[in-house]
Amino acid sequence: MLEISETGRTWLLSGPASSYAVSLGENDELLHLHWGPAIALADAEALAVRPLPDYRPFESQLDGREEYPVEGGPRFVRPALSVRTAERRGTEWTFTSYETVTAPDGDELRLLFHDDGLAITLHYRMRGDVLERWVTLDNQGAEAVELLRADSATWTLPDREDWRLTHLHGRWAAESRLTAAPLTYGEKVIGSRRGHTGHQYLPWVALDTDATEERGEVYGCALGWSGSWRIAVAQLPDARVQITGGAGYDESGLLRLAPGESFTTPVFAGLWSDGGFGGASRAWHAYQRAYVIPDAGQDRPVLFNCWEATEFDISEEQQGALARRAAAIGVELFVVDDGWFGARTSDRAGLGDWTPNPDRFPGGLKPLADQVHALGMQFGIWVEPEMVNPDSELYRAHPDWVQYQPGRKRTEFRNQLVLNLAREDVQEYLWQQLDTLLTSAPIDYVKWDFNRCFTDAGWPGEPYPQRLWVDHVHGFYALLDRLRAAHPGVAFESCSGGGGRIDLGVLSRTDQVWTSDNTDPLDRLAIQHGFSQIHPARVMAAWVTDSPNAMLNGRVSSLRFRFVSAMAGVLGVGGDLTRWTEEELAEAREWVELYKEIRPLVQRGELHRLRPPRGGLSAVQYVLGDETVVLAWLQAQSYGEPVPAVRLRGLDPTASYECLETGEVHRGAVLLHHGLRMALRGDLDAAVLRLRRI
């Protein structure tokens, strides 16, 4: 809901439980008023007439109070907007008007400003209790404008003591690990300067003072951008806290706007919750299922991916044999990974040549896809369109299509270079290749990979090379949008060597994401715990692979532990089924059948993190309507001590619940306050318990 004061100078946006308010000051400065629990317009107007703090030498009255600080004038905080023309640098903007746009999924407020030919529009849209913010910059003048920095938003927190900052950190095979620490004076900056979202941080932060998993105020911000990005959390000299974030990592130059050109920043979304970190997560999940993820109401199928079973040594006959085994255990989507195209017998050749290898697939992909469909499964394929091997027909024909700096060595990671997707001819080539591929066979799913960072990000002949960093992402988005429109029945998964490209921007165009290349079921508990802080299980792909874990650590784990770990998200199987015993295949089929029963709860239910994965017992719970399911893992049992009871959440204390595994009937109040004991013992044990309200 959007409310505007009679003066037209105070604006209040409200969701079911929260409000956000801004106002114009005496000199038309846009001031932040409120972000937190729901308030009335009269409350916002009362805040608007409060005076700014008294002047102090060497300080600015605007710092920490301005809604969107720009560079220039009496300001010393990090600017959200920094521009330069041939004659000057900085912004001296004036308010011109406001607009409202009514829509079923949330009214939008637009605040319009102007600075000597540059039109600046601040956008606000409340969806549930998530506020989306972004900025549009239009060059209406006669000379070019350089955008050195154009952040999507600055978020201002209320005056509190002892703020704590929580975020996600990691690296390849160790993504999305949760960390928290007291916020101190100065700035904490996270981001990526790699050209993609990155394994090192997810673009999300949360701040609190005393919140627990289920209680307390939590402020969170998440950026929807799949390229280089930066979020800066600053505690200012007067202890006020601001969060600024957007595309690009530094102020060396984001984009050049010629006369008549415009730039729209990505969305930087914010959420306030008084339900602790769990309540904040459930609100983020609901927002993404309702407004971000395509077709979020459709549950994702159980998939099999051939990579860990076959790597590059594949053939149509071999894939057909794997498909028959996969169908026999209940798999619903069979995916052929790397090695099906061009001269792709290793990672040294073939990227860029997206036609089936005639020796391995003499009739193309259609015969195998038809076999897979005849077995009752969907058919999927792996691609890495933004990359090229020097040993490829594409590179030999168009060496100038890659990112490179003239006179410098073209750095190769994984024997590949990055195509310059900012170029329209590259976009058109990839469109033709992928459209032809998706038309040539009945393909239902595409795993879209991105296996290296930007290094030599040059564009010879382009006078403002920074444009590549932004326009590559826009080209990626445009290509995905075009393919989805032309092939509406095809689902897409975002992958980047695991979790290197996960953000609200890519999630608005894909159906799920590959969480990590690390499929070890114990490591995945911490990865999935961190991932769930912001993103829902509906998009979190998780595989059951072989034991011992061959890729990373050689850890031995039971099929039970591996399945229950992966059942916390979108279940997949990635082991070599030709080596599984008949007993293992039979057990796997039972786990797949169980997952299909609980899938609506996992993928669409409300998540409660009951116990974090810290070495002993950990557990999560999903609630949907009258049903709930608990997944529990015992990492190790120490000193023979009994496993503690797990207190459940989200139940009706006055109702009774039947456990479908044991037939026992439990009172809701007892489950909530005294908990449920799980039959777990030893090391790396796991269990699934389903409860239904009677």
Side-chain angles (χ1 to χ4, degrees):
M1 180 175 66
L2 171 61
E3 298 178 87
I4 305 168
S5 67
E6 291 185 2
T7 63
R9 295 174 64 86
T10 299
W11 299 270
L12 177 67
L13 298 101
S14 298
S18 65
S19 292
Y20 191 94
V22 296
S23 181
L24 289 172
E26 292 181 358
N27 299 314
D28 278 1
E29 315 98 334
L30 186 63
L31 302 177
H32 174 80
L33 299 180
H34 174 81
W35 183 25
I39 62 173
L41 180 60
D43 301 321
E45 292 177 309
L47 289 169
V49 298
R50 284 188 171 187
L52 291 173
D54 294 336
Y55 169 77
R56 293 184 179 183
F58 301 101
E59 302 295 340
S60 168
Q61 290 179 299
L62 297 177
D63 284 354
R65 291 161 180 82
E66 210 170 10
E67 174 71 358
Y68 188 75
V70 299
E71 183 182 31
R75 304 171 177 93
F76 305 107
V77 297
R78 176 184 290 273
L81 180 65
S82 177
V83 302
R84 177 173 60 193
T85 67
E87 296 182 352
R88 59 188 174 275
R89 177 169 175 162
T91 300
E92 193 172 287
W93 59 345
T94 57
F95 176 75
T96 56
S97 62
Y98 71 88
E99 300 173 350
T100 59
V101 179
T102 303
D105 59 350
D107 295 342
E108 180 188 334
L109 169 66
R110 298 174 181 173
L111 303 180
L112 285 68
F113 297 80
H114 198 270
D115 177 31
D116 193 25
L118 181 65
I120 305 162
T121 304
L122 308 185
H123 302 259
Y124 299 80
R125 179 171 57 202
M126 184 73 82
R127 287 176 155 176
D129 279 308
V130 173
L131 179 62
E132 296 179 336
R133 294 178 58 189
W134 69 100
V135 176
T136 300
L137 301 161
D138 291 293
N139 185 1
Q140 300 173 352
E143 61 176 332
V145 175
E146 284 188 272
L147 305 182
L148 302 178
R149 187 75 198 165
D151 281 323
S152 301
T154 294
W155 300 91
T156 303
L157 302 187
D159 290 334
R160 299 283 192 274
E161 294 182 354
D162 301 324
W163 282 108
R164 176 175 57 175
L165 171 64
T166 299
H167 64 94
L168 300 171
H169 74 101
R171 54 177 172 78
W172 175 81
E175 301 92 333
S176 302
R177 289 177 294 160
L178 191 66
T179 186
L183 187 65
T184 57
Y185 285 95
E187 284 190 324
K188 171 72 173 183
V189 179
I190 63 172
S192 168
R193 59 197 321 159
R194 298 166 181 256
H196 60 121
T197 317
H199 300 79
Q200 292 67 36
Y201 305 100
L202 262 68
W204 165 84
V205 295
L207 286 102
D208 76 292
T209 57
D210 58 359
T212 65
E213 179 66 20
E214 297 293 337
R215 296 183 301 277
E217 286 190 315
V218 176
Y219 289 82
C221 301
L223 182 66
W225 181 245
S226 307
S228 293
W229 59 277
R230 184 185 69 195
I231 295 175
V233 182
Q235 185 167 29
L236 304 178
D238 64 355
R240 291 179 67 86
V241 173
Q242 288 191 318
I243 307 163
T244 301
Y249 188 82
D250 52 32
E251 288 83 9
S252 64
L254 180 70
L255 206 64
R256 179 180 183 273
L257 295 183
E261 290 184 335
S262 66
F263 172 67
T264 299
T265 73
V267 166
F268 196 16
L271 166 72
W272 171 88
S273 171
D274 64 353
F277 286 94
S281 294
R282 289 186 287 277
W284 279 120
H285 299 171
Y287 159 71
Q288 289 169 70
R289 288 194 298 262
Y291 300 107
V292 179
I293 303 162
D295 303 318
Q298 298 180 10
D299 293 337
R300 297 298 305 144
V302 178
L303 69 77
F304 174 84
N305 183 289
C306 75
W307 172 250
E308 293 197 18
T310 63
E311 295 193 1
F312 293 105
D313 185 19
I314 69 174
S315 67
E316 181 180 322
E317 180 180 358
Q318 170 215 61
Q319 294 295 303
L322 275 172
R324 288 188 290 274
R325 288 216 158 197
I329 66 170
V331 165
E332 300 161 311
L333 167 61
F334 182 86
V335 182
V336 178
D337 208 278
D338 204 346
W340 60 267
F341 55 91
R344 190 70 166 174
T345 57
S346 71
D347 65 9
R348 295 182 176 277
L351 280 179
D353 304 333
W354 299 108
T355 55
N357 182 294
D359 297 325
R360 297 178 167 189
F361 298 92
L365 294 174
K366 188 176 187 305
L368 177 60
D370 289 342
Q371 287 184 55
V372 169
H373 283 155
L375 291 167
M377 298 183 292
Q378 295 179 317
F379 179 71
I381 203 75
W382 176 97
V383 296
E384 194 175 2
E386 296 155 89
M387 304 297 166
V388 63
N389 288 123
D391 185 2
S392 67
E393 297 302 321
L394 174 61
Y395 185 78
R396 283 186 280 272
H398 298 285
D400 57 319
W401 279 9
V402 301
Q403 300 178 4
Y404 72 97
Q405 298 281 352
R408 300 291 185 183
K409 182 179 179 180
R410 303 186 186 193
T411 305
E412 296 179 22
F413 286 153
R414 205 171 179 251
N415 304 301
Q416 62 193 45
L417 301 167
V418 185
L419 288 172
N420 182 357
L421 206 60
R423 294 179 58 134
E424 292 184 4
D425 48 3
V426 174
Q427 293 180 38
E428 189 60 29
Y429 168 82
L430 291 178
W431 155 255
Q432 292 174 2
Q433 289 276 300
L434 297 173
D435 178 59
T436 299
L437 173 66
L438 295 178
T439 304
S440 68
I443 296 171
D444 306 291
Y445 160 99
V446 173
K447 182 173 184 176
W448 187 301
D449 215 337
F450 183 95
N451 274 318
R452 62 154 292 178
C453 311
F454 289 10
T455 51
D456 318 299
W459 186 350
E462 167 57 38
Y464 199 79
Q466 289 88 343
R467 173 184 164 195
L468 178 152
W469 294 80
V470 171
D471 285 0
H472 183 105
V473 181
H474 287 157
F476 165 61
Y477 286 168
L479 188 55
L480 266 179
D481 293 343
R482 191 176 178 185
L483 287 167
R484 291 190 73 100
H487 304 277
V490 177
F492 288 81
E493 176 177 303
S494 172
C495 177
S496 178
R501 187 150 65 181
I502 299 173
D503 56 82
L504 295 177
V506 78
L507 280 172
S508 69
R509 295 167 169 87
T510 53
D511 300 87
Q512 63 189 57
V513 294
W514 183 222
T515 319
S516 175
D517 279 348
N518 187 342
T519 60
D520 176 78
L522 180 58
D523 287 350
R524 283 297 291 251
L525 296 182
I527 293 171
Q528 293 170 180
H529 177 75
F531 184 95
S532 73
Q533 301 293 322
I534 172 66
H535 298 304
R538 165 60 175 73
V539 300
M540 186 179 71
W543 291 1
V544 177
T545 54
D546 292 332
S547 176
N549 184 280
M551 185 177 71
L552 290 176
N553 53 33
R555 181 178 286 124
V556 176
S557 56
S558 66
L559 204 57
R560 165 185 290 271
F561 193 83
R562 283 176 273 155
F563 261 100
V564 178
S565 175
M567 288 164 68
V570 178
L571 177 63
V573 178
D576 187 353
L577 297 182
T578 64
R579 297 189 177 188
W580 288 21
T581 66
E582 291 302 320
E583 292 77 11
E584 287 174 321
L585 292 170
E587 182 183 350
R589 181 171 183 83
E590 292 178 358
W591 286 116
V592 170
E593 289 176 354
L594 176 59
Y595 178 76
K596 291 176 181 177
E597 293 180 18
I598 68 172
R599 174 167 50 192
L601 284 77
V602 173
Q603 296 192 17
R604 287 183 273 129
E606 290 194 338
L607 168 68
H608 295 267
R609 293 180 292 265
L610 305 180
R611 293 177 66 94
R614 291 176 181 166
L617 176 67
S618 63
V620 297
Q621 177 191 359
Y622 304 89
V623 181
L624 183 64
D626 292 334
E627 295 186 86
T628 189
V629 62
V630 179
L631 308 182
W633 305 273
L634 182 61
Q635 297 184 28
Q637 187 177 22
S638 301
Y639 310 111
E641 294 176 351
V643 177
V646 178
R647 292 178 58 192
L648 305 192
R649 297 289 182 265
L651 304 182
D652 181 353
T654 66
S656 294
Y657 293 84
E658 179 185 7
C659 178
L660 302 187
E661 274 65 41
T662 66
E664 296 175 339
V665 175
H666 303 270
R667 293 291 297 169
V670 174
L671 294 173
L672 290 169
H673 297 284
H674 297 277
L676 180 69
R677 290 201 175 273
M678 315 288 286
L680 298 170
R681 185 178 182 183
D683 295 341
L684 301 184
D685 198 7
V688 178
L689 284 183
R690 294 168 292 165
L691 297 165
R692 181 175 295 154
R693 179 173 177 166
I694 299 174

